[in-house]
Amino acid sequence: MKTRQKKQQLSQNDSSAVSQFQKAIALADSGSPDKALALLNHSHSRVDFIENARGVCLLRLGNVDGAVHLFRSLVLASGCTWMKPESTVIQRTNLCTALLISGRVSGCVELLSAIEEQQHPSVVRLRQTLESWRAGLSILQRIQWFFGLDPGVPVSFTGLPGDFVDLELSTPLASSQPSVRSRPPVHAA
């Protein structure tokens, strides 16, 4: 009997989290990531898709260090530098994006190369952004980059940083809201 009640409660919590998640996406995409973050924080849910959404909101609010910290906890094993096998491609690319925006280009490149799904649109988009960035470096900056030094040139994005959902998957979260695309394709400016 207790197990059945526990399952019903978990199911109700999940549907509530999904509802708040969808509302948060709509708020963030309409230019109110602060309201979206407040809604997500009010939910007190710690499921991964809610945590990912919190990280995206932090990115969009300019709290890049907070986003890096949150995405690291989702993607990297505690106290380690390898990725958790259960982390999603979107969580991984969001960490890459946060590293890129924070000026940790080499960290982004290293993590991006460790993602197995190299043909995933989010991975391809980040690689294209990096290629455009490299093409814009001066000769001296390219030499620095070649020798493993970050040249100190910020990477520019168009559109909003971070992905809420994986548009490649046919999950209830992605398919029930076809208009929740979190941003247009990213290209370096």
Side-chain angles (χ1 to χ4, degrees):
M1 186 70 162
K2 286 185 179 182
T3 307
R4 181 180 287 165
Q5 288 174 335
K6 207 173 195 179
K7 283 183 181 178
Q8 279 182 328
Q9 184 179 14
L10 182 62
S11 175
Q12 288 171 350
N13 289 342
D14 286 349
S15 67
S16 173
V18 169
S19 173
Q20 288 182 323
F21 173 74
Q22 291 172 334
K23 288 176 187 173
I25 291 173
L27 284 168
D29 283 347
S30 68
S32 299
D34 53 337
K35 292 178 183 174
L37 184 60
L39 176 67
L40 293 167
N41 288 339
H42 182 70
S43 77
H44 301 294
S45 179
R46 297 288 176 230
V47 291
D48 283 354
F49 66 89
I50 293 288
E51 290 296 290
N52 182 69
R54 281 187 179 106
V56 172
C57 289
L58 289 171
L59 268 178
R60 293 182 182 186
L61 288 168
N63 185 349
V64 180
D65 290 335
V68 167
H69 179 74
L70 193 150
F71 288 128
R72 276 187 177 155
S73 72
L74 288 174
V75 174
L76 302 178
S78 181
C80 302
T81 57
W82 59 82
M83 291 184 280
K84 296 176 185 176
E86 68 272 14
S87 64
T88 66
V89 177
I90 292 303
Q91 292 166 347
R92 293 172 183 194
T93 56
N94 282 340
L95 176 56
C96 288
T97 300
L99 290 170
L100 208 52
I101 292 171
S102 71
R104 301 171 186 137
V105 180
S106 0
C108 169
V109 170
E110 187 175 331
L111 183 62
L112 199 56
S113 68
I115 297 175
E116 292 179 16
E117 300 86 349
Q118 289 294 307
Q119 297 307 311
H120 190 280
S122 294
V123 174
V124 170
R125 199 169 44 237
L126 277 170
R127 288 203 174 284
Q128 290 171 341
T129 299
L130 283 166
E131 286 303 317
S132 295
W133 172 79
R134 282 185 199 124
L137 295 177
S138 70
I139 297 294
L140 179 60
Q141 292 165 335
R142 287 182 195 192
I143 292 170
Q144 287 176 311
W145 180 247
F146 179 79
F147 286 107
L149 301 170
D150 279 335
V153 175
V155 178
S156 298
F157 288 89
T158 58
L160 299 170
D163 290 314
F164 286 107
V165 294
D166 187 343
L167 297 175
E168 290 277 292
L169 299 178
S170 297
T171 63
L173 292 177
S175 61
S176 69
Q177 289 282 333
S179 64
V180 297
R181 184 174 178 106
S182 63
R183 65 179 162 145
V186 174
H187 302 286

